[in-house]
Amino acid sequence: MCAEDRARRHFVDLFDISSEEAHALLARAVVLKAGGHEPRRTTPLLGRSLGLVFEKPSLRTRVSFEAAFARLGGSSIFLRGKDVGIGVRESVADFARVISQYVDALAVRTFAHATIEELARHATIPIVNALSDDAHPCQAMADMMTILEIKNRLEGVRLCFVGDGNNVARSLAVASALLGVEFILACPPGYEFPKEFATRFAARFPGVPLQTTHDPKAAAEGADALYTDVWASMGQESEADHRREIFAPYQVDEDLMARARPDAVFLHCLPAHRGEEVASGVLDGPQSQVIPQAANRMYFQMALLEWLVCGSIG
């Protein structure tokens, strides 16, 4: 069972955890997937509650969090962002203090990363970033778990992300640096990582290159994994037509996959737009691991929530 006296931790950004913690969380997730979640063996979150506040639509994120907490013995309470009105109906600080009286952890899927940071400053429970415009840390760690399962290693694996330097790409770059993965972003000019992110990355990981290129074919050469995401994320709908034109040469199709290693895998955080960022032949092809990748969201989040609520990994 969980220890009652523990130092409160949050999971706002992967910059905030150590390499050792990242490795330990993945190891624990693998154990839980292998059967450590069976009710007879462990229910560390029995009697605990997880709050979920989502300002964006969700399938995988919501269900994977609710299932993860349930498998560890707890229950969940889902709140739609527009109903809660964080920062609108009441201040972020007041919401954080109040919700801390009701649940043992809070997962938030929102637009502004600053909202999650402010929640973490005022809450007395762990705050989990379930997605923000700046970062998607749970997704990136589940992706690393997927690569580890398939390749039996992370050190030295070459991961090529083709597309926008968005929240998913940023979290993947940080996860790669924590876990010894070689990461490269292939994007159109003007869609590189933001300067603020690059500066923070260089300060946190001195000596680790933040590789970026505008040539997807060169980036794919020798890759162990090719990864892409939608060209227009939620909140960017007005840019969709323009982005389709700009990103058209960056589609992950059969030709681009052929430039990677023969045993390379294809990854996508889903939902996918077939015929845009990825060809159907790749998404449905033998190298695609998008379904196991989606499943691993639940197992990584089991390990994460166990750690945050109980205060220890495993």
Side-chain angles (χ1 to χ4, degrees):
M1 299 299 291
C2 294
E4 294 299 327
D5 296 321
R6 61 187 186 277
R8 186 178 71 255
R9 290 293 303 264
H10 302 295
F11 195 70
V12 172
D13 200 300
L14 289 175
F15 280 116
D16 301 327
I17 70 171
S18 68
S19 176
E20 292 76 16
E21 288 168 336
H23 280 286
L25 283 168
L26 289 185
R28 180 58 178 161
V30 169
V31 169
L32 289 166
K33 186 174 182 178
H37 63 272
E38 292 297 331
R40 292 185 300 276
R41 300 175 64 178
T42 176
T43 52
L45 303 185
L46 185 65
R48 306 281 181 156
S49 296
L50 171 68
L52 299 133
V53 176
F54 281 30
E55 295 178 347
K56 293 185 176 186
S58 172
L59 167 63
R60 280 154 294 276
T61 300
R62 176 180 175 178
V63 177
S64 64
F65 266 106
E66 291 188 351
F69 216 73
R71 286 182 177 229
L72 293 171
S75 60
S76 302
I77 302 170
F78 180 78
L79 302 165
R80 292 187 300 175
K82 66 179 182 179
D83 293 337
V84 174
I86 301 177
V88 178
R89 294 186 65 245
E90 59 185 322
S91 71
V92 176
D94 285 349
F95 173 83
R97 296 186 188 106
V98 170
I99 200 71
S100 295
Q101 310 307 307
Y102 303 139
V103 298
D104 298 283
L106 181 71
V108 182
R109 182 177 171 93
T110 186
F111 290 93
H113 190 76
T115 298
I116 297 178
E117 292 178 321
E118 189 172 357
L119 285 168
R121 284 195 296 272
H122 296 285
T124 55
I125 56 172
I127 302 297
V128 179
N129 182 353
L131 177 142
S132 71
D133 284 351
D134 285 8
H136 202 351
C138 293
Q139 178 69 59
M141 288 298 289
D143 299 336
M144 292 295 158
M145 179 182 174
T146 307
I147 295 171
L148 177 62
E149 287 181 319
I150 297 166
K151 301 296 182 181
N152 293 313
R153 64 185 176 94
L154 288 172
E155 190 73 31
V157 166
R158 180 176 172 84
L159 169 61
C160 173
F161 185 95
V162 183
D164 190 4
N166 62 10
N167 51 359
V168 174
R170 291 172 220 170
S171 289
L172 282 170
V174 179
S176 295
L178 287 169
L179 296 163
V181 172
E182 179 189 353
F183 179 87
I184 184 167
L185 169 68
C187 65
Y191 292 89
E192 301 87 355
F193 290 122
K195 183 178 179 180
E196 181 181 341
F197 173 82
T199 299
R200 189 179 183 190
F201 185 94
R204 177 68 172 79
F205 304 108
V208 177
L210 191 59
Q211 299 184 74
T212 304
T213 180
H214 303 310
D215 186 346
K217 293 180 180 179
E221 293 288 345
D224 296 290
L226 288 186
Y227 196 127
T228 193
D229 191 8
V230 295
W231 292 337
S233 299
M234 284 178 281
Q236 298 175 331
E237 288 81 5
S238 63
E239 304 174 30
D241 290 340
H242 176 68
R243 283 175 171 258
R244 285 190 194 98
E245 181 180 349
I246 296 296
F247 282 87
Y250 292 81
Q251 182 188 87
V252 179
D253 56 15
E254 289 86 348
D255 177 67
L256 196 65
M257 282 300 306
R259 292 176 179 273
R261 292 175 58 88
D263 61 348
V265 297
F266 171 74
L267 301 172
H268 192 305
C269 54
L270 301 180
H273 294 167
R274 297 165 184 268
E276 291 188 13
E277 75 274 5
V278 59
S280 291
V282 172
L283 187 65
D284 299 325
Q287 291 170 282
S288 177
Q289 293 294 321
V290 298
I291 302 305
Q293 178 187 4
N296 282 339
R297 286 289 303 277
M298 179 178 67
Y299 295 109
F300 171 74
Q301 286 156 195
M302 287 174 68
L304 174 68
L305 292 165
E306 183 184 54
W307 175 46
L308 293 177
V309 176
C310 295
S312 61
I313 300 174

